[in-house]
Structures are given as structure tokens and as C-alpha cells.
């Protein structure tokens, strides 16, 4: 299943401070009547790449929003670097967000400015740096993602993969301590995929970042992650390093990691008995399963 | 995104055009020029019936506007309409025995005050009272008079 | 029957919910408007898209409305022998009513819907979310400059509409139909008052500008972040602005021109 193991070095030496940068305890969150999180505990280790995986709709993006303070949990605690995110005041929350970079699913570049201005945006908004210094910083970030030559293009002229790389450059513009990736691999061609995968790992190690990847692309994500959480039905149903998970006996983990059509996540949407349904004349009120 | 310089120039043009339009409206379209005659002196005139004379109606002499009606009151003791008139300070040589009347301008029936000059040597000053002469023509009275005179003619035949 | 009542109740609740959200948004924007002043470049960019790009439609419409007023006014006045008063009719109609109201309606159609679509699209493509996560308040960075621009543009656009309309009436009345040029302007100058008419007209356009921009910005910000949601929000902007402007026009007219 994996191409090579050189990208994820499971035997990488631990960093000096192996405590969690992000600590989530007993998280409960409801949207309407649906419980998205029903008692979830997650630890994100410093300097590591942690993956959050699970079927679509389990609220993986919601988790990132909760960590970033865009949403408030109904119950439970979310600590980032020791600070409780839901309790932060406006000023502290904004300070926190400056130290977190986020890569949105389709890049979310500001469409009315070109690539250069997009990457310069956080620098111009939050620092008083001289334009010449900003120029150098922007070019460095773009160079890191390999798009320095594209600096004058408009977002509408970029391919999906290029847009995401520019968004990545923008996410690391302020040299954050943590970067969150929301479905970075979805819908990418093999080459862009390979580029992104390597970039995420390389940047994480080179810049000493802590990375959280939310994804359902098992192969790519498992290839570079140090630790994986599998969420389903509002709970953590499996966790561990990619190696551990592959050997795990959890039905969830197996179905998800192998892409099996039936298992704890059923194939059939709940419905009445098949034979009954066939015999019931069309138009008669059918009992909803 | 258009070059910032171009954008700024066009916005400047836009704002200038808007202000110019406002200016044009104020100068060309409104009565701004004639508003400057706020100073002037006040006189009053009393009438039996002003029948539709409004505040800010024109006050004319020989057909030329010399002032405006500034206020209209009712005297509950003499049952007369008291019309306050502000006359432009330029026209300070109006004889004290001039007569004011309420007339109708044009077919649309707008009422104005017309002043016929008198012959006295003294001139009107602030606070003086114009002699109220001709009251407004009331159409119903006119018709009544006409019918009455017609009937009288018919009777004497 | 009961179901119908329940539906009515639900609609009413949703209406008040939206109204509440709209007011909260307005408060947040007004609280942040002062941050636009040091970064006026943002507002200038918006003044361009909202004001300058609306100029053509305003000027053309103003011209045609003025010309029609000239024609229709003449046709009616000539029966009374009062065609020399054409200037008054054209000027008063424009300055008191048509200038502010028609400009507001055109604004809603062109600039308002564009604002809604733009903001709605930014919401749908997560640009607003991205800004939040970059510790930039989208209300101050995106919404406040647009609000300021719309609010400032409207009185200017209405003035241009009225001025061009008066000229249009002039071309038709004096140029084509033979009304005396002197009478056209002198009667107008005599009857149009700077305070009662022009000032009130400007006040109207300021109020309409406030309301129209508020609605446009709110609908965009509140839109469902899908293509269909944005499209429906744009429609709502135009419809709600039209209703609000016409309703407010009645109230303002009654207040301003009610008692003579």
C-alpha cells in the first residue's frame, strides 16, 4: 500500500518537549440535533504530523474550526499551548491565530489580488515591515513551495494544485508554530499529490512545525503522518501510528484503512425489509426505515 | 485589479462630478441666489379674506417682487387675517399709504400680495402697517353677485 | 388550518431572526468603520466599483427620465396654457422624488447586487473564513469599506441623476418643444427651494444609501455558501432594497413635504 517509508520515519527521535501542543478533552459539539462530537479526546504532539481521518461528514473540518476558535464547543476543553481556546478574549484569540496557519480545502486565496499580494497579505496586515523586507520574505515562501515564478498570476489563472501551494506559502508567511490542513489531497492529480505530500513533510521538519492533517485520503496521509486518529459517529474509534493502525483489530480502522464497502459503516442506508418493499404497491405510503 | 493610480483618478472624477452636480442643482435650479435677501424689514397687512395665500408667497409692486410673505396669523378679536411681510431692504422708499391686496397669478390660481403705491411723503419702516385694501376674490361670492344682478335685471323688466 | 398557522409563526420567527442578525451586523460594521479611515485605499477601491461603475447607468437613466418628464410635463401643462412652468415640474419631480428613489433602485440593481454576489462568493469559497483564521476581521477588512463606499456614493449619484435630468428636460422642452429658455430656468429658480427641496432630496438619498448598502452587505454575508444560495441572496437584495426604499420614501415624503 505504501510507496516508500522514507517519508514517514517512525523511528524519528522525539523532540525535547514531547507534551501536546493541542489537548482536547471530552469534546461535545452538536449541530442542530446531530451530535458531531460526543466525547472526544485528542492530543496533538509538538513537531509531529497528526492525521485526523474518518468518513465524510464526521466533522473533521469542524474540529479544525473548534481548535481555531471559530466555533465554541458545547462541552469539554480545548487547550492550545496551555490556553483554553473557547475562553480567549478577542485580542488573545487573534494573537493565537497569528501563530496558526491554515490551509483550506480549495486554497481560499483572495481572488481580487495576485499570488504575490496573497502571500504578502498576512505580513502587511500584521507587521510593520518595510516593503523591501516583505518582498524578500514573500519570495522565500514562494520559493519553498516552488512557485516563485508564478508571483504575478491571479488566483483564477492557477490550477487547483498550484492554488493550494500558494495558500500553503501564505499559511507559513508569519512563521507559525502549527499548520492545519483541511483535506489537502482531495481531487488532486498524482503529480500535484506527490508534490504536496512531500512539501507538507519537508516543511514540517525544516520549520519545526506541528501539523494537523484532516483528510480521508488514506494512502497519502498515512505515508507522512506520525500519528493517526480515526473518527466516526462522534467518537475516536481508532488511534495510533500508521503501523499500529494497520495491525489493529478495530473493525472501524480496518474498514477505513482498507476501503472496505461494508463494515461498521454499513453499505445499506437504513430501509425497510427488501421483500416487503417489493411487494408494497407503488404510491402506497411506505414505512420509512 | 486595476492599477491603483487609475482607480484613484476615476474615483476623484466621480466625486468631483457628484459635487459639481450638487453645485449645479444649488445654483442653477434652486433659489439660492435670491436667498441672500434675508435681511429686510417687516410690515404687516390685514385682510378680511386671504383665501389661499401661502407663506413664502411673493409680494409684488408694479409686477416686480419686492419681498415675501413671512408669516400668516389670525386676529381672534377683529377676525382679520394678519399677514406679515418681509420687504427687501433695497426697497425702503415705499409710501406709508400704499395699499396691499391679494391677487391671483395665472390660471393655476396661485395667490400673491400686490402693493399699489400711495402718495405720502413718509416711507414705510420696520413694524409699520400697510393698508389692507382689496381682499382676495372669492369665486362663490362673484357668482352669487352675478346671479343676483342678473335676477335684479330680469325683475326690472 | 393549524399547520398553516404554525407555518406563519415559523416564517415570522425567521423574519425576526434575520432582522436581528442584520442589526447585529450593522452594529459590528459601524463599530469598525473608523478603522477604514487610516486605510482609505480600501474604500477608494470600493468607491470605484460601486460609484464610478454605476455612473453610466445613472447618467443615461437620468437623461431619459428628464426627457420624458419634459415631454409628459409639456403635454399636460399645455392644456392649461402653463407650459412655461415646465422647468418647475421637471426640477421638482427630479429633486424631490425621482432623483433619490430611481437612483436607489438602479443602485440596488447594479451595485447592490454586485456587492451581495461578491461577498457571498467570498463566503462560499471560504475567503472570509481564511481571513478570520489569519486574525484579520473580515467585517473590518471587507464589509466596512464597502459599506462606507455605498453610503458615500448614493447622494453623489442622486445629484448627478437630478442634474442630468434637468438638462434632459431642458433639451426636450426648450430645444424641441419651444418652451422659452428664460422661463424654464427662471420659474424653476423661483419655485425650487434650496432647503425644502434640494436639501431634503439629499437627505433622502443619504438615507436610501444607508439602507441599500446595509441590505446588500447583509445579504451577501448571510448567504448560504453555495452557488444557489448566492444567487438567491442577490435576488433578495434587489427586492428588499426596492421595497425598503419605496416604503421609506413614503415616510420621508410625508415628514418632509407633509404640511405646507
Amino acid at each position: 500500500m505504501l510507496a516508500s517509508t522514507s517519508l514517514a520515519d517512525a523511528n524519528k527521535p522525539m523532540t525535547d518537549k514531547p507534551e501536546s501542543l493541542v489537548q482536547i478533552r471530552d469534546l461535545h459539539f452538536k449541530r442542530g440535533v446531530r451530535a458531531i462530537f460526543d466525547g472526544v479526546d485528542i492530543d496533538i504532539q509538538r513537531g509531529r504530523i497528526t492525521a485526523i481521518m474518518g468518513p465524510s461528514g464526521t466533522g473533521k473540518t469542524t474540529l479544525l474550526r473548534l481548535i481555531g476558535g471559530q466555533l465554541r464547543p458545547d462541552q469539554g476543553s480545548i487547550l492550545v499551548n496551555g490556553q483554553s481556546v473557547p475562553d480567549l478574549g478577542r485580542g488573545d484569540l487573534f494573537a493565537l491565530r497569528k501563530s496558526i496557519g491554515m490551509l483550506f480545502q480549495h486554497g481560499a486565496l483572495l481572488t481580487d489580488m495576485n499570488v504575490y499580494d496573497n502571500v504578502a497579505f498576512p505580513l502587511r496586515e500584521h507587521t510593520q515591515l518595510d516593503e523591501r523586507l516583505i518582498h524578500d520574505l514573500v519570495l522565500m515562501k514562494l520559493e519553498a513551495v516552488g512557485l516563485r515564478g508564478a508571483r504575478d498570476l491571479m488566483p483564477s489563472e492557477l490550477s487547483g494544485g498550484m492554488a493550494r501551494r500558494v495558500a500553503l506559502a501564505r499559511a507559513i508567511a508569519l512563521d507559525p508554530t502549527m499548520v492545519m490542513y483541511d483535506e489537502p489531497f482531495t481531487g488532486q492529480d498524482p503529480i500535484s499529490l506527490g508534490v504536496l505530500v512531500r512539501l507538507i513533510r519537508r516543511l514540517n521538519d525544516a520549520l519545526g512545525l506541528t501539523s494537523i492533517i484532516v483528510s480521508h485520503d488514506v494512502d497519502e496521509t498515512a505515508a507522512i503522518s506520525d500519528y493517526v486518529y480515526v473518527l466516526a459517529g462522534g467518537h475516536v474509534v481508532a488511534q495510533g501510528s500508521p503501523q499500529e493502525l494497520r495491525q489493529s483489530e478495530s473493525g472501524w480502522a480496518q474498514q477505513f484503512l482498507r476501503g472496505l464497502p461494508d463494515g461498521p459503516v454499513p453499505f445499506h442506508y437504513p430501509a425497510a425489509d427488501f421483500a416487503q418493499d417489493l411487494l408494497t404497491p407503488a404510491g402506497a405510503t411506505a414505512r420509512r426505515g | 485589479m486595476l492599477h491603483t493610480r487609475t482607480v484613484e483618478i476615476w474615483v476623484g472624477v466621480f466625486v468631483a462630478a457628484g459635487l459639481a452636480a450638487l453645485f449645479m442643482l444649488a445654483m442653477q435650479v434652486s433659489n439660492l441666489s435670491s436667498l441672500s435677501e434675508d435681511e429686510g424689514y417687516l410690515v404687516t397687512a390685514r385682510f378680511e379674506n386671504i383665501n389661499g395665500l401661502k407663506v413664502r408667497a411673493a409680494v409684488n409692486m408694479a409686477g416686480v417682487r419686492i419681498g415675501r410673505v413671512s408669516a400668516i396669523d389670525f386676529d381672534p378679536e377683529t377676525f382679520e387675517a394678519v399677514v406679515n411681510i418681509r420687504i427687501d431692504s433695497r426697497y425702503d422708499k415705499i409710501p406709508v399709504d400704499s395699499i396691499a391686496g391679494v391677487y391671483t397669478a395665472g390660471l393655476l390660481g396661485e395667490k400673491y400680495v400686490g402693493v399699489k403705491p400711495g402718495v405720502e411723503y413718509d416711507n414705510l419702516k420696520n413694524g409699520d402697517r400697510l393698508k389692507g385694501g382689496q381682499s382676495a376674490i372669492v369665486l362663490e361670492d362673484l357668482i352669487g353677485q352675478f346671479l343676483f344682478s342678473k335676477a335684479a335685471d330680469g325683475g326690472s323688466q | 388550518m393549524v399547520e398553516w398557522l404554525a407555518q406563519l409563526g415559523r416564517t415570522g420567527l425567521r423574519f425576526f431572526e434575520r432582522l436581528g442578525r442584520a442589526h447585529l451586523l450593522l452594529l459590528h460594521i459601524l463599530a469598525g468603520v473608523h478603522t477604514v479611515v487610516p486605510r482609505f485605499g480600501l474604500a477608494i477601491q470600493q468607491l470605484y466599483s460601486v460609484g464610478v461603475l454605476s455612473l453610466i447607468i445613472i447618467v443615461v437613466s437620468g437623461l431619459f427620465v428628464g426627457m420624458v418628464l419634459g415631454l409628459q410635463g409639456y403635454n399636460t401643462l399645455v392644456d392649461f396654457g402653463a407650459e412655461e412652468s415646465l422647468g418647475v415640474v421637471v426640477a421638482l419631480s427630479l429633486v424631490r422624488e425621482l432623483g433619490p428613489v430611481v437612483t436607489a433602485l438602479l443602485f440596488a440593481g447594479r451595485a447592490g447586487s454586485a456587492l451581495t454576489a461578491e461577498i457571498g462568493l467570498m463566503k462560499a469559497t471560504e475567503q472570509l473564513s481564511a481571513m478570520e483564521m489569519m486574525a484579520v476581521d473580515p467585517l473590518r477588512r471587507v464589509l466596512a469599506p464597502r459599506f462606507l463606499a455605498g453610503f458615500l456614493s448614493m447622494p453623489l449619484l442622486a445629484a448627478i441623476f437630478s442634474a442630468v435630468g434637468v438638462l434632459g428636460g431642458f433639451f426636450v422642452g426648450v430645444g424641441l418643444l419651444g418652451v422659452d429658455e428664460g422661463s424654464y430656468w427662471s420659474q424653476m429658480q423661483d419655485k425650487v427651494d434650496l432647503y425644502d427641496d434640494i436639501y431634503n432630496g439629499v437627505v433622502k438619498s443619504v438615507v436610501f444609501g444607508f439602507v441599500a448598502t446595509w441590505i446588500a452587505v447583509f445579504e451577501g454575508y448571510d448567504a448560504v455558501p453555495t452557488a444557489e444560495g448566492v444567487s438567491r441572496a442577490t435576488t433578495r437584495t434587489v427586492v428588499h432594497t426596492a421595497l425598503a426604499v419605496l416604503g421609506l420614501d413614503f415616510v420621508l415624503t410625508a415628514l418632509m413635504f407633509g404640511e405646507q
Side-chain angles (χ1 to χ4, degrees):
Chain A
M1 190 159 65
L2 286 181
S4 77
T5 48
S6 61
L7 286 174
D9 198 339
N11 298 322
K12 197 167 85 139
M14 295 268 269
T15 49
D16 296 31
K17 290 198 271 187
E19 84 247 13
S20 327
L21 180 58
V22 178
Q23 222 183 43
I24 299 177
R25 293 282 176 270
D26 195 33
L27 178 65
H28 289 258
F29 185 77
K30 272 219 279 258
R31 181 163 279 142
V33 289
R34 213 162 69 97
I36 309 247
F37 296 115
D38 202 16
V40 164
D41 292 341
I42 288 179
D43 278 273
I44 312 285
Q45 302 287 341
R46 271 178 217 277
R48 306 296 182 100
I49 299 184
T50 309
I52 315 273
M53 299 209 268
S56 308
T58 38
K60 308 190 290 293
T61 311
T62 313
L63 185 65
L64 294 182
R65 288 189 198 273
L66 283 163
I67 296 177
Q70 282 182 317
L71 294 172
R72 288 203 127 114
D74 296 329
Q75 212 187 313
S77 75
I78 302 176
L79 294 173
V80 175
N81 214 8
Q83 291 179 301
S84 169
V85 172
D87 298 324
L88 285 178
R90 230 181 92 116
D92 293 325
L93 186 59
F94 271 25
L96 174 69
R97 284 178 179 169
K98 284 189 231 171
S99 67
I100 302 180
M102 181 143 170
L103 179 57
F104 286 82
Q105 190 163 350
H106 299 291
L109 295 177
L110 301 175
T111 44
D112 52 344
M113 32 178 106
N114 64 16
V115 164
Y116 180 93
D117 291 322
N118 258 286
V119 180
F121 183 75
L123 292 167
R124 287 183 180 144
E125 290 287 323
H126 293 306
T127 68
Q128 320 282 4
L129 293 175
D130 189 64
E131 271 305 308
R132 288 168 295 174
L133 198 48
I134 291 185
H135 177 262
D136 293 344
L137 283 170
V138 169
L139 290 188
M140 283 199 292
K141 308 296 176 185
L142 283 175
E143 178 74 9
V145 301
L147 285 175
R148 186 168 51 88
R151 80 185 91 142
D152 293 317
L153 293 178
M154 296 297 285
S156 50
E157 297 168 304
L158 300 170
S159 74
M162 289 167 75
R164 283 182 204 189
R165 281 153 68 191
V166 173
L168 182 48
R170 184 180 68 178
I172 57 170
L174 290 176
D175 292 318
T177 37
M178 179 163 80
V179 180
M180 304 200 283
Y181 300 86
D182 189 3
E183 311 261 8
F185 308 125
T186 311
Q188 293 295 291
D189 67 84
I191 298 181
S192 315
L193 214 47
V195 167
L196 265 174
V197 164
R198 265 164 234 269
L199 260 181
I200 294 179
R201 185 78 234 183
R202 231 184 34 213
L203 281 175
N204 190 78
D205 297 337
L207 301 175
L209 295 174
T210 305
S211 305
I212 308 179
I213 306 181
V214 154
S215 173
H216 46 241
D217 286 294
V218 176
D219 292 342
E220 289 71 29
T221 318
I224 52 167
S225 311
D226 297 312
Y227 203 78
V228 174
Y229 285 90
V230 181
L231 289 176
H235 297 101
V236 175
V237 294
Q239 55 174 288
S241 76
Q243 238 100 316
E244 288 165 4
L245 274 189
R246 242 168 277 124
Q247 287 145 14
S248 131
E249 280 155 15
S250 153
W252 288 102
Q254 289 307 310
Q255 185 185 10
F256 192 70
L257 292 175
R258 300 228 192 114
L260 301 173
D262 208 8
V265 179
F267 176 70
H268 287 287
Y269 191 82
D273 180 67
F274 194 24
Q276 272 288 67
D277 229 354
L278 285 176
L279 292 173
T280 315
T285 25
R287 189 182 68 85
R288 292 217 177 173
Chain B
M1 185 165 85
L2 264 187
H3 193 249
T4 331
R5 230 30 259 292
T6 322
V7 165
E8 284 175 353
I9 294 176
W10 276 109
V11 170
V13 168
F14 166 58
V15 174
L19 292 175
L22 272 172
F23 194 67
M24 178 243 181
L25 286 176
M27 300 264 86
Q28 268 293 87
V29 172
S30 81
N31 54 6
L32 180 65
S33 34
S34 44
L35 266 187
S36 44
E37 21 93 318
D38 253 78
E39 333 80 41
Y41 57 101
L42 277 173
V43 298
T44 54
R46 287 166 174 267
F47 301 97
E48 254 179 41
N49 193 333
I50 56 163
N51 197 26
L53 182 70
K54 294 204 205 358
V55 177
R56 288 192 57 232
V59 176
N60 294 341
M61 198 155 163
V64 175
R65 199 166 74 71
I66 58 166
R68 285 212 185 272
V69 174
S70 60
I72 299 179
D73 293 314
F74 178 67
D75 187 337
E77 297 190 8
T78 60
F79 302 114
E80 280 173 322
V82 182
V83 177
N84 292 290
I85 294 172
R86 186 177 286 282
I87 302 185
D88 210 31
S89 33
R90 288 182 278 168
Y91 309 112
D92 52 355
K93 295 210 176 39
I94 303 176
V96 291
D97 62 337
S98 305
I99 301 182
V102 179
Y103 300 98
T104 313
L107 278 167
L108 295 178
E110 226 181 84
K111 298 285 192 268
Y112 69 96
V113 175
V115 180
K116 292 212 188 83
V119 293
E120 287 275 351
Y121 192 59
D122 291 322
N123 291 321
L124 284 174
K125 295 183 308 299
N126 196 28
D128 278 351
R129 195 179 126 159
L130 268 178
K131 283 222 298 220
Q134 163 95 17
S135 275
I137 298 184
V138 181
L139 209 53
E140 293 84 356
D141 291 349
L142 211 56
I143 295 180
Q145 277 180 15
F146 178 70
L147 290 176
F148 188 69
S149 71
K150 269 285 165 202
D153 282 347
S156 58
Q157 248 147 40
Chain C
M1 176 63 184
V2 179
E3 178 57 36
W4 181 81
L5 278 175
Q7 181 64 32
L8 195 65
R10 253 173 275 146
T11 313
L13 278 175
R14 254 184 294 139
F15 173 72
F16 282 111
E17 227 188 312
R18 294 195 98 234
L19 207 60
R21 281 205 301 275
H23 279 86
L24 281 175
L25 181 69
L26 181 67
L27 285 173
H28 277 133
I29 293 181
L30 290 177
V33 144
H34 65 277
T35 56
V36 179
V37 176
R39 307 199 45 186
F40 211 66
L42 294 170
I44 299 239
Q45 184 66 37
Q46 294 313 312
L47 270 172
Y48 181 81
S49 11
V50 160
V52 176
L53 294 180
S54 304
L55 264 181
I56 301 228
I57 189 175
I58 294 291
V59 166
V60 172
S61 306
L63 192 64
F64 279 118
V65 168
M67 296 202 296
V68 166
L69 275 174
L71 267 177
Q72 291 282 36
Y74 185 87
N75 284 338
T76 311
L77 289 172
V78 82
D79 287 347
F80 294 95
E83 64 269 17
E84 306 303 312
S85 304
L86 185 63
V88 183
V89 169
V90 170
L92 284 179
S93 312
L94 282 168
V95 166
R96 285 181 181 179
E97 290 298 326
L98 293 177
V101 173
V102 175
T103 304
L105 295 177
L106 291 172
F107 179 89
R110 203 233 142 258
S113 61
L115 273 178
T116 304
E118 194 188 359
I119 297 175
L121 212 56
M122 288 180 95
K123 186 178 181 190
T125 51
E126 296 189 293
Q127 288 178 51
L128 296 181
S129 222
M131 269 194 229
E132 268 186 6
M133 285 308 291
M134 285 191 277
V136 173
D137 186 354
L139 289 180
R140 296 191 173 191
R141 185 73 174 46
V142 173
L143 296 187
R146 284 164 172 78
F147 183 80
L148 203 59
F151 175 69
L152 290 175
S153 300
M154 184 75 89
L156 295 174
L157 289 171
I160 294 177
F161 186 94
S162 298
V164 172
V166 165
L167 288 175
F170 176 77
F171 292 141
V172 165
V174 174
L176 287 176
L177 297 169
V179 172
D180 176 49
E181 174 173 347
S183 313
Y184 186 86
W185 295 109
S186 63
Q187 289 232 14
M188 189 197 300
Q189 283 165 0
D190 199 43
K191 293 287 188 319
V192 176
D193 185 65
L194 184 69
Y195 292 116
D196 286 347
D197 299 316
I198 307 241
Y199 176 72
N200 279 338
V202 171
V203 168
K204 272 194 189 181
S205 59
V206 168
V207 172
F208 294 159
F210 185 89
V211 171
T213 319
W214 177 16
I215 293 179
V217 161
F218 170 69
E219 291 294 348
Y221 191 72
D222 203 53
V224 175
T226 60
E228 198 206 337
V230 172
S231 141
R232 270 190 285 139
T234 339
T235 313
R236 271 205 298 269
T237 292
V238 177
V239 171
H240 288 185
T241 307
L243 291 173
V245 162
L246 291 171
L248 274 173
D249 183 49
F250 174 71
V251 171
L252 287 173
T253 306
L255 283 173
M256 293 173 179
F257 301 104
E259 352 76 272
Q260 268 302 338

